[in-house]
Amino acid sequence: METIKFDQLVDAKGLACPMPIVRTKKAMNELEPGKVLEIQATDKGSTADIKAWAQSTGHQYLGTLEEGEVLKHYLRKATGEEKEEKKHPHVVNNEELQAKLANNEGILVLDVRESAEYAFNHIPGAKSIPLGELENRFNELSEDADIYVVCRTGSRSDLAAQKLTEAGFKTVINVVPGMSEWGNPTDSLNK
């Protein structure tokens, strides 16, 4: 296999979301425009996360290679004017979402974490579509539904909310901070 030339290496092996992105952001800030970054990660969700992050910031996602348990992601830093990271403008906190659920307001909670994360702990009635599968599964959602997007920390859900809005979904709200601080009842494999 041909080795890929890169200018800087980020070691995010053994780290879960959002740490591969946090380390990538830090390294990208120190990198010169046009240079290539290799991010090594073991979190299977990092592929979708890094690809979406690169898209939202204007950096170029080059691709991912898999070597055993290690995913090697390659990004090229944007040249010229840096694009400011987009954030989805419609946000609620966990308590606001819980109030809507308690009032049976007929909303859709969309969980964009990886399926394993969802299986072990999720909001009752939430629909699971991992961020990396979202664009291929838009047809499972109604454009007119009130969609509340949740992930572990609010990062993947922010990217998912942007994608849904760009695809024409009318009411899309990002839930922050999400499952990392969800204090209400959940469904789980661990009964």
Side-chain angles (χ1 to χ4, degrees):
M1 179 193 285
E2 188 178 322
T3 57
I4 295 176
K5 184 182 176 305
F6 58 90
D7 300 289
Q8 190 172 335
L9 173 69
V10 172
D11 184 354
K13 296 187 293 284
L15 302 176
C17 179
M19 290 312 297
I21 293 292
V22 170
R23 290 210 175 160
T24 299
K25 278 181 176 179
K26 184 178 186 312
M28 197 60 89
N29 288 338
E30 299 167 359
L31 203 61
E32 290 180 38
K35 299 290 184 182
V36 174
L37 191 64
E38 177 183 288
I39 303 101
Q40 294 183 358
T42 50
D43 178 2
K44 297 297 180 197
S46 66
T47 302
D49 296 348
I50 287 173
K51 189 175 186 178
W53 178 81
Q55 185 177 18
S56 77
T57 57
H59 300 301
Q60 184 180 1
Y61 171 78
L62 302 173
T64 298
L65 297 176
E66 206 167 327
E67 290 184 8
E69 294 293 309
V70 178
L71 298 166
K72 292 183 174 182
H73 309 290
Y74 296 90
L75 298 179
R76 181 177 171 272
K77 184 167 180 171
T79 56
E81 287 297 309
E82 291 299 325
K83 209 171 134 183
E84 192 164 318
E85 190 170 357
K86 288 188 277 184
K87 289 280 186 198
H88 187 69
H90 307 290
V91 179
V92 298
N93 63 35
N94 289 1
E95 292 73 25
E96 291 169 293
L97 174 58
Q98 181 55 37
K100 291 192 172 292
L101 291 170
N103 291 334
N104 294 315
E105 291 190 24
I107 62 172
L108 170 65
V109 176
L110 177 62
D111 192 321
V112 295
R113 296 174 301 153
E114 294 301 306
S115 56
E117 292 173 280
Y118 176 87
F120 283 101
N121 181 24
H122 61 270
I123 296 169
K127 179 169 186 64
S128 173
I129 301 180
L131 178 62
E133 300 173 17
L134 185 60
E135 290 172 278
N136 294 328
R137 296 177 63 186
F138 282 155
N139 63 322
E140 296 177 32
L141 305 169
S142 167
E143 286 186 6
D144 297 319
D146 290 353
I147 303 173
Y148 286 74
V149 190
V150 68
C151 71
R152 194 173 77 81
T153 63
S155 295
R156 285 178 279 182
S157 56
D158 180 80
L159 296 168
Q162 291 177 47
K163 286 178 185 256
L164 288 163
T165 300
E166 289 166 10
F169 289 85
K170 293 169 185 53
T171 307
V172 181
I173 296 96
N174 184 20
V175 181
V176 177
M179 296 306 292
S180 65
E181 294 184 29
W182 186 258
N184 297 295
T186 61
D187 284 344
S188 171
L189 285 176
N190 301 329
K191 294 287 180 197

